[in-house]
Amino acid sequence: MNINKLIVAVDRIQASEVKGYHRIELGSVKVSTSIGWKNIKVKVPARLNITDKVEDGVRLYTAKLVFRTCEEMVDCEKQVYRCKTASGNYILIGSDTRPYPITTVNDSHPDNMTDSQLIEVSVDYTSPVRIPYIY
């Protein structure tokens, strides 16, 4: 098992606050260091799946981030997420332009005391450009 790929931290910020975003190459971007990312307390590890497929002759890249948290997830529209791997790399989900990631919050109240009472958050993002690492 490769533990370097585990997602150990998740941050978020409003898409409008992502300044200085530009691609260095296909799989990497440079983002301003002055961005005030808000850390989300997540149960480690979070799950991130990145896939690509060709649909109607166009290659689409999809990222699906799923994590559990004890924080209230309010104001989730037009958010950009930054995921930190165990090896210290960062993956950017979203950008300052459309399409924005879609965040779904599931706050369940289990009927069994041993079931998780954490809030499950799912972030879906589809883009015609590769999901980048931050450099």
Side-chain angles (χ1 to χ4, degrees):
M1 178 200 237
N2 187 355
I3 64 168
N4 293 332
K5 292 182 114 182
L6 294 177
I7 302 299
V8 297
V10 178
D11 305 317
R12 71 178 180 150
I13 195 165
Q14 284 287 337
S16 60
E17 295 181 39
V18 178
K19 306 279 191 258
Y21 172 96
H22 65 279
R23 287 205 175 258
I24 298 172
E25 52 191 41
L26 276 179
S28 62
V29 293
K30 186 164 184 134
V31 179
S32 173
T33 56
S34 65
I35 293 177
W37 293 99
K38 180 187 179 291
N39 183 263
I40 303 169
K41 295 175 185 159
V42 299
K43 180 181 178 191
V44 175
R47 183 174 68 233
L48 175 61
N49 293 324
I50 299 174
T51 58
D52 67 290
K53 65 179 177 179
V54 176
E55 191 173 291
D56 294 330
V58 177
R59 182 166 298 281
L60 294 175
Y61 297 89
T62 302
K64 182 170 183 83
L65 170 66
V66 178
F67 60 89
R68 290 192 165 114
T69 182
C70 58
E71 294 181 17
E72 290 293 323
M73 293 293 293
V74 295
D75 193 24
C76 292
E77 282 189 34
K78 297 182 182 177
Q79 296 285 307
V80 173
Y81 294 84
R82 179 177 74 167
C83 302
K84 182 181 181 182
T85 65
S87 61
N89 294 321
Y90 288 94
I91 300 169
L92 186 67
I93 299 176
S95 72
D96 57 347
T97 60
R98 287 184 170 175
Y100 300 110
I102 298 169
T103 305
T104 305
V105 178
N106 182 8
D107 187 3
S108 64
H109 300 272
D111 60 354
N112 189 341
M113 292 181 62
T114 59
D115 290 345
S116 176
Q117 296 182 32
L118 295 175
I119 298 167
E120 185 174 89
V121 179
S122 177
V123 178
D124 294 291
Y125 177 64
T126 301
S127 173
V129 293
R130 186 174 289 166
I131 308 297
Y133 280 86
I134 299 174
Y135 289 102

